Amino acid sequence: MTSGKMPLILENPMGGDSMQVDLEDVDDLFGDAAALALPSRPASKRLRQRLDDLRQRGCCQGISWSKGGTIVSISPNGQALQIRHIQADEKDATFSLSKPTIWSPWASLPGGPLVHVIWGPVNSDLAIIDAAGRVLIVNFSGNLNRPTVSRTWDSDSVDDAQAIVGTYWLQNIQPTKTRGPPYTPSYAPAVRNGNGNNYHFQMTPILNTGPWHPHPSKSALVSITTSGIFKLFWGQNTGKIEETTLELENVTTADDLITHAAACSDRTNTLMVGMATASKQLRVVQVIVNWNIPKGDGAQNIPVANQTLSPTLMKRHVAITSWFQPSSNDSHLDASISKITHLEMLPSVHNASTKEWSPVMVLTVRSIVPEQNSPYEQEVQSIIDRWELLVDQQQSLHSAFENSGSKRSSAGSTPPHSSRLKKLDPLVVHKIVVGITLVNFGKIICIGYSDGSVEYRDRASMVELYHEPNLDRINSIFDVGFSQNGEPSCLQMALSPTNFSLVQICEDGQVKWNPIHYTLADIESMNDSQVSALVASFTISTAQAATVNTNIDDILAVARNFVSKDAFAIDWVKTMVQMMKITVDYTEDAPHDHLIKNGILQMFLSISNYLGWRGNFQPRLPWGKLAMVALNLRNIVIMITLSNNTITVKQSTMTPLDEPDVINALAGCVKWATDLLCWLSDSLFCLFDDAKFMALLKHTQSAPMMAYLQLQNEIALHLILCSATRGLLSAVCRRITLLDTFATKAITWYETRGGSHANNNPNATLDPRAAAHAALYTAYQKIRQYTSSSLIKADEFDKLLTGLGTDIRSAYNTALAVLGEQPARTNNQSAQANAAKLDASQEAIARGRQHCELSMLLLQAPPPFFVSVVDKFFNKELKEFRARSNVSRLYFADYSLLEINDGPRTLERRRKQGTRVDLFKRVEISRKTSRALGNGNTSPIAWRVCARCSSVMEDVPIASSKPGFIFLLRQQYLCCCGGRMAVS
């Protein structure tokens, strides 16, 4: 017996010793020298049913993941929608799949069960389709798990001929500053510089192809019915969704019925629609969407808000072929070989290096599962066929099909001779395909299989990608050692928009979430080269997500695993700032609006905030705490600014400051902000009283001072030294002063016309306007109370910051002047050269400031020349400010509203109390509180919880009688960290 073989032990029924049978000898009992092989696991009944569904209708995707972070799936019985998202746990900050929210607002489904869901590219629009082809469109822009209906399906007919077999959302137009074609920047690949650990990012513009909805924030849904009707559901500028139709094919017999369809954009800014018929024909039709908008001077015609849209559709038959031609070898195979399970249209893609366009491609999948009792030896397999749509002669940009589209639309199905479908070599895989997704701007095909495995293949060659790590040239997260797979027994699969995770429906009906896993090395033993590659790959993915407004929560979920690597988090955000050229230097007297509107900076702070957070009852990392303070300051500044806007309500104008609920919410913001100023002043005063710290200010280097601050877990000094956070503090000080002025005027007006004036003089006539604004008077009194009783006055603290900012600018100009001298030596003395010399010098100084500011924003050491600035500030300005302050009361004040102190006792007390601070109203709230109902009963108040950082706010009901409050509340659909909120 061969060594290593295990003998089979059989009991001897006659007694005695057991018998040993060598399995290797059994192999050749019948003269067959081949080894016995275990048969493959037969396909389950549910998998077979799923394949039948895919063959019968082209639209039956039961799970999908939106760019906003919402995951929707159809319930097993097809009667409801299950809504999920990934949620960070407040205990340890790790992400997991949320519990489902069941949504079924309909009493019945006359059109049959739900069969298909598909997300739009913008505004969190979701199309829900039933078996009869009725279309319901809902919107998730307000909450992750509570939609609002945009289009009802009540008026849609219940007709099997209207069943939908293909869908597609138009991409949203990308406004650009140039007059060239619209594009989306791609930040890959990242190429390593030599043998070092630094990477160079090659930004490549990806040209966008239309058609688009004319409005940048809207899209349009395309659907193709089994009877050959093309339907366009588009948003009118009034907000109503309307419908335009076009007959693609004249279906008269059962063989003409369309079983599967798909669409994609073309470089001619038209749609290419691929259709598979019951007679095994593959047809391609070109469709023009003309929005009939008068052309303006710009390259992109974005209509004004009140312009009415009136789109028209035209078609042109492009090519036709047969998608199945049986051979003699197929005679014994299952009949499913002649049935499509998937049909995809791959758009034309522009190659930036060759300046050429790849052709539109049609892709079909046929999955074969042998019958259990089949006499033939068959294997499970999927056959992937592809056709290229080739244009034999130059084709013009539609030009309304030479103004004869209406004539050609009745020309039947005969394709023009200029285009043809070229069949490519098929790909046979011995697995069952359950999902096809296009990634990387349509360049790569992601294939999901029933065993949970995932493959990425090049669309042109179908070669499988990411087999081996490639740290020298990084195009994807999978180049640096990540792998992706789901659970076995998978029926349906959906990738996240970032490709960092996937969700799947398993055979037991459960929905499971699977993030990618790092397999190149043990995380704790990673070397510097691997960490640098990791940073580069995360930077590419995050930048790409930010460019197309995609939620990054699953990127953060994977990043959580690497927080223990000290260099990872800091290097990640640093690299992202440098590559995307995010402005963090606000040293100059730039308007605060520039700082507030810097949305990419918010994402940068959000990453720092999340990675520095370890759970609500765990101390934060210092740089994460600084980011948390900055994000909250920014949110308060935005709230106060928006509340002073003028809004239009029923053809009249008003300001949110006229509503008591708005003022009460702003009062909470004022209380939080003034508490922060007091806490910040107290922290600086404690440093002033610390002899060891003051002695460090006499050093010429900042490293000793920084080491001591880190030892004390102190962030107050960085909050005022860093120009971004100093600017936010200054902005909030000025808005507090503005609100205080408004409050004083409102109180004076009320007391003059009513209120206390009427109380002092009973014979006085009470102004009816004063009586109507009694609640507003009370709310303004609350603001006045908070500002007047604050231990630190906002206007005085702003003066302190202004003086420090002046000294910092002067220090920068002096210390960095040498950076501006180097470019000056390389220029001539002509006028043009002098101008270039000045620009180069200023640019060099600006780069130096940006570098210093970025380091301080990440709580790293300030530049050495800052030590003298800090020394002067503490021994002069702060000393004088301290002399005017009540130091003892500041020291013993209660700062619990800030949730910034995270000592063990403070955290334990917060946990026992079970209270949180409302993100909107800035007051403490508890799950124990309830809301009174109209019938005398009460109900618990639901919370809106941030999926990323676990911040909370009460789910306030929206009342139409409070337009100002509604306006302000709708600005809070995102958390201050930029994460989405879910009702809990």
Side-chain angles (χ1 to χ4, degrees):
M1 184 172 61
T2 306
S3 175
K5 294 287 186 179
M6 178 66 71
L8 179 65
I9 309 297
L10 299 179
E11 293 183 358
N12 189 346
M14 303 299 294
D17 296 336
S18 301
M19 299 173 59
Q20 289 190 357
V21 179
D22 189 351
L23 287 179
E24 187 172 5
D25 297 333
V26 177
D27 292 344
D28 200 26
L29 284 177
F30 302 99
D32 188 359
L36 294 177
L38 292 175
S40 59
R41 178 172 177 255
S44 67
K45 182 178 179 180
R46 292 205 62 182
L47 178 58
R48 292 176 183 272
Q49 180 61 50
R50 173 60 183 164
L51 290 176
D52 287 342
D53 293 340
L54 288 169
R55 292 166 186 146
Q56 291 172 6
R57 69 170 72 245
C59 274
C60 56
Q61 180 66 28
I63 188 168
S64 189
W65 195 325
S66 78
K67 290 169 63 174
T70 302
I71 302 165
V72 296
S73 61
I74 298 173
S75 63
N77 62 4
Q79 300 299 304
L81 204 66
Q82 298 177 344
I83 307 171
R84 296 175 173 88
H85 60 280
I86 58 172
Q87 174 73 53
D89 193 333
E90 65 174 13
K91 295 180 181 178
D92 58 7
T94 59
F95 277 94
S96 61
L97 190 65
S98 69
K99 294 181 180 180
T101 298
I102 308 301
W103 190 73
S104 55
W106 41 78
S108 63
L109 292 172
L114 309 180
V115 296
H116 187 71
V117 289
I118 179 172
W119 286 102
V122 292
N123 212 24
S124 296
D125 287 325
L126 174 72
I128 306 168
I129 299 170
D130 67 9
R134 299 190 309 156
V135 177
L136 175 71
I137 299 179
V138 297
N139 182 271
F140 284 82
S141 60
N143 296 279
L144 273 171
N145 60 347
R146 187 173 60 191
T148 57
V149 176
S150 303
R151 179 193 188 272
T152 65
W153 53 18
D154 298 339
S155 60
D156 293 350
S157 63
V158 179
D159 182 359
D160 290 341
Q162 299 301 314
I164 293 176
V165 295
T167 55
Y168 174 78
W169 280 93
L170 300 188
Q171 298 301 309
N172 64 304
I173 190 170
Q174 298 285 341
T176 58
K177 297 180 180 179
T178 63
R179 288 183 174 267
Y183 69 90
T184 300
S186 171
Y187 295 95
V191 182
R192 182 153 57 182
N193 297 328
N195 296 323
N197 293 328
N198 296 323
Y199 285 85
H200 170 68
F201 298 89
Q202 299 180 357
M203 198 283 284
T204 305
I206 304 297
L207 297 183
N208 300 329
T209 54
W212 306 278
H213 191 287
H215 199 286
S217 63
K218 294 183 179 181
S219 181
L221 173 69
V222 170
S223 70
I224 300 98
T225 70
T226 188
S227 57
I229 302 300
F230 179 100
K231 296 182 179 181
L232 181 70
F233 300 91
W234 49 278
Q236 185 59 270
N237 286 341
T238 59
K240 180 183 178 181
I241 295 181
E242 301 186 15
E243 177 182 348
T244 304
T245 62
L246 172 71
E247 184 182 67
L248 295 180
E249 295 289 346
N250 184 16
V251 175
T252 58
T253 67
D255 286 344
D256 295 332
L257 289 174
I258 299 170
T259 61
H260 298 74
C264 71
S265 61
D266 183 55
R267 64 191 182 96
T268 59
N269 291 335
T270 61
L271 287 176
M272 291 294 180
V273 181
M275 298 173 288
T277 68
S279 59
K280 299 179 177 54
Q281 285 188 339
L282 181 63
R283 301 169 180 266
V284 177
V285 178
Q286 185 180 25
V287 176
I288 283 184
V289 181
N290 189 346
W291 296 97
N292 297 314
I293 298 172
K295 289 188 177 182
D297 297 333
Q300 298 174 6
N301 304 312
I302 300 177
V304 295
N306 58 355
Q307 186 169 357
T308 301
L309 301 177
S310 180
T312 55
L313 304 173
M314 290 183 291
K315 69 176 181 180
R316 183 172 71 88
H317 292 272
V318 175
I320 183 173
T321 188
S322 174
W323 58 260
F324 177 69
Q325 296 177 348
S327 64
S328 59
N329 296 329
D330 299 333
S331 59
H332 66 279
L333 293 179
D334 186 85
S336 62
I337 193 173
S338 62
K339 295 181 179 179
I340 287 177
T341 57
H342 299 80
L343 187 148
E344 296 288 339
M345 294 291 291
L346 282 58
S348 52
V349 177
H350 184 257
N351 189 318
S353 58
T354 64
K355 308 300 181 183
E356 298 290 334
W357 287 86
S358 63
V360 169
M361 190 177 293
V362 186
L363 181 147
T364 64
V365 179
R366 293 174 287 144
S367 293
I368 305 168
V369 177
E371 295 295 335
Q372 295 180 356
N373 300 323
S374 174
Y376 300 100
E377 183 180 350
Q378 302 176 28
E379 287 187 89
V380 168
Q381 63 178 343
S382 293
I383 303 171
I384 302 175
D385 293 312
R386 294 173 300 141
W387 292 263
E388 286 183 340
L389 180 61
L390 300 181
V391 180
D392 294 333
Q393 61 187 21
Q394 187 65 32
Q395 193 174 17
S396 62
L397 295 177
H398 68 74
S399 298
F401 298 136
E402 299 178 356
N403 299 320
S404 60
S406 60
K407 297 179 182 180
R408 298 195 181 193
S409 64
S410 60
S413 302
T414 303
H417 297 291
S418 60
S419 301
R420 60 188 174 90
L421 286 168
K422 177 186 177 183
K423 179 74 181 294
L424 303 178
D425 292 336
L427 173 70
V428 180
V429 183
H430 294 290
K431 297 180 182 181
I432 299 300
V433 174
V434 295
I436 299 285
T437 307
L438 296 182
V439 299
N440 194 15
F441 304 101
K443 299 177 183 178
I444 297 174
I445 303 171
C446 176
I447 308 174
Y449 296 101
S450 62
D451 62 357
S453 61
V454 177
E455 289 179 353
Y456 289 86
R457 293 182 178 270
D458 180 82
R459 65 170 275 171
S461 64
M462 291 303 284
V463 172
E464 188 174 356
L465 306 174
Y466 314 129
H467 266 307
E468 299 292 336
N470 183 5
L471 305 188
D472 294 326
R473 187 179 180 88
I474 301 171
N475 283 284
S476 165
I477 190 72
F478 302 107
D479 278 326
V480 301
F482 281 90
S483 64
Q484 186 173 50
N485 58 275
E487 302 286 336
S489 303
C490 175
L491 296 179
Q492 298 191 55
M493 184 183 295
L495 279 182
S496 78
T498 65
N499 302 339
F500 267 62
S501 56
L502 59 86
V503 284
Q504 55 183 166
I505 299 178
C506 298
E507 291 186 9
D508 59 1
Q510 298 295 314
V511 175
K512 297 183 179 180
W513 171 58
N514 296 278
I516 58 177
H517 300 283
Y518 189 69
T519 58
L520 186 60
D522 181 73
I523 293 178
E524 297 302 325
S525 60
M526 292 175 64
N527 57 40
D528 292 342
S529 177
Q530 292 167 341
V531 172
S532 297
L534 188 73
V535 168
S537 63
F538 269 78
T539 302
I540 291 173
S541 301
T542 310
Q544 206 60 67
T547 302
V548 295
N549 297 317
T550 297
N551 185 283
I552 62 169
D553 284 354
D554 64 331
I555 296 180
L556 296 175
V558 176
R560 169 62 58 182
N561 301 318
F562 302 94
V563 172
S564 59
K565 307 298 293 184
D566 294 337
F568 168 70
I570 300 297
D571 288 349
W572 177 19
V573 291
K574 268 191 171 183
T575 306
M576 191 175 69
V577 168
Q578 294 165 356
M579 184 192 68
M580 297 189 70
K581 296 179 173 58
I582 303 174
T583 301
V584 296
D585 173 32
Y586 290 92
T587 306
E588 299 296 334
D589 283 328
H592 292 143
D593 288 349
H594 296 167
L595 173 60
I596 302 303
K597 293 179 180 178
N598 191 343
I600 300 295
L601 178 61
Q602 180 197 24
M603 189 184 72
F604 157 80
L605 293 170
S606 181
I607 294 174
S608 299
N609 175 62
Y610 171 75
L611 295 181
W613 173 57
R614 295 180 287 192
N616 286 342
F617 308 114
Q618 299 291 332
R620 289 178 180 263
L621 295 175
W623 43 267
K625 187 184 297 185
L626 184 142
M628 179 201 73
V629 172
L631 288 168
N632 279 275
L633 281 171
R634 179 179 182 272
N635 190 58
I636 289 176
V637 172
I638 291 175
M639 275 192 63
I640 297 176
T641 303
L642 290 176
S643 66
N644 196 31
N645 282 3
T646 300
I647 61 177
T648 302
V649 180
K650 296 180 179 179
Q651 299 181 347
S652 63
T653 59
M654 58 107 39
T655 172
L657 292 175
D658 293 335
E659 292 184 5
D661 286 344
V662 172
I663 301 304
N664 281 320
L666 295 181
C669 293
V670 169
K671 173 68 170 131
W672 190 95
T674 52
D675 279 4
L676 178 67
L677 299 182
C678 293
W679 171 85
L680 188 54
S681 299
D682 176 61
S683 299
L684 294 173
F685 294 161
C686 288
L687 287 176
F688 179 84
D689 293 331
D690 189 332
K692 187 173 182 179
F693 171 78
M694 296 299 290
L696 294 174
L697 299 183
K698 305 305 178 184
H699 288 233
T700 57
Q701 297 295 322
S702 59
M705 177 185 70
M706 189 62 226
Y708 185 74
L709 292 174
Q710 290 177 339
L711 185 64
Q712 300 297 316
N713 197 22
E714 183 60 69
I715 67 168
L717 183 58
H718 276 72
L719 282 171
I720 63 172
L721 290 182
C722 178
S723 63
T725 50
R726 187 173 66 252
L728 290 171
L729 286 167
S730 177
V732 83
C733 285
R734 295 178 187 184
R735 276 142 181 92
I736 291 174
T737 304
L738 180 66
L739 279 180
D740 183 54
T741 302
F742 287 161
T744 302
K745 291 181 178 178
I747 292 170
T748 302
W749 180 92
Y750 181 87
E751 292 179 347
T752 302
R753 289 165 175 77
S756 59
H757 178 67
N759 293 333
N760 296 331
N761 184 6
N763 297 322
T765 302
L766 182 64
D767 192 325
R769 293 178 298 170
H773 292 83
L776 189 62
Y777 167 72
T778 304
Y780 272 118
Q781 274 190 319
K782 190 183 298 185
I783 288 182
R784 190 72 184 92
Q785 176 188 354
Y786 289 149
T787 55
S788 61
S789 62
S790 176
L791 298 174
I792 298 296
K793 305 303 179 186
D795 56 344
E796 295 180 3
F797 195 86
D798 187 35
K799 293 178 182 178
L800 183 71
L801 295 176
T802 301
L804 177 61
T806 301
D807 290 342
I808 289 177
R809 280 195 301 276
S810 176
Y812 269 134
N813 293 334
T814 302
L816 300 182
V818 65
L819 296 178
E821 294 174 359
Q822 184 64 30
R825 300 191 186 101
T826 61
N827 289 289
N828 299 321
Q829 298 303 314
S830 64
Q832 185 176 0
N834 287 333
K837 175 182 67 176
L838 181 61
D839 291 342
S841 300
Q842 292 177 346
E843 184 179 350
I845 294 174
R847 286 198 304 268
R849 285 203 312 260
Q850 173 86 353
H851 173 78
C852 296
E853 292 293 331
L854 177 57
S855 296
M856 288 189 291
L857 197 55
L858 292 170
L859 215 68
Q860 295 182 320
F865 55 84
F866 264 45
V867 178
S868 59
V869 175
V870 175
D871 183 37
K872 174 181 177 295
F873 174 74
F874 270 82
N875 286 291
K876 188 176 186 296
E877 287 86 358
L878 186 67
K879 184 177 182 180
E880 296 173 355
F881 185 73
R882 183 178 184 274
R884 301 192 300 269
S885 305
N886 193 325
V887 179
S888 60
R889 288 188 62 189
L890 284 171
Y891 184 81
F892 290 106
D894 178 15
Y895 301 115
S896 58
L897 191 65
L898 302 175
E899 295 183 308
I900 198 171
N901 292 326
D902 49 15
R905 293 182 179 179
T906 303
L907 292 174
E908 180 61 22
R909 182 170 61 253
R910 193 184 304 164
R911 186 186 65 82
K912 288 182 177 180
Q913 290 176 346
T915 59
R916 299 290 306 278
V917 175
D918 189 295
L919 181 66
F920 182 62
K921 298 180 180 179
R922 301 288 171 171
V923 295
E924 288 189 342
I925 57 177
S926 170
R927 288 284 192 182
K928 300 177 182 179
T929 57
S930 58
R931 180 181 290 117
L933 301 177
N935 55 10
N937 298 326
T938 60
S939 66
I941 298 178
W943 284 5
R944 297 178 66 215
V945 183
C946 176
R948 183 178 302 173
C949 74
S950 191
S951 294
V952 299
M953 63 177 288
E954 288 185 347
D955 184 33
V956 182
I958 295 179
S960 58
S961 59
K962 302 175 181 179
F965 187 70
I966 294 174
F967 170 77
L968 203 59
L969 192 62
R970 282 178 175 166
Q971 314 307 315
Q972 295 291 318
Y973 73 97
L974 293 179
C975 175
C976 65
C977 75
R980 295 293 304 280
M981 309 284 283
V983 179
S984 172

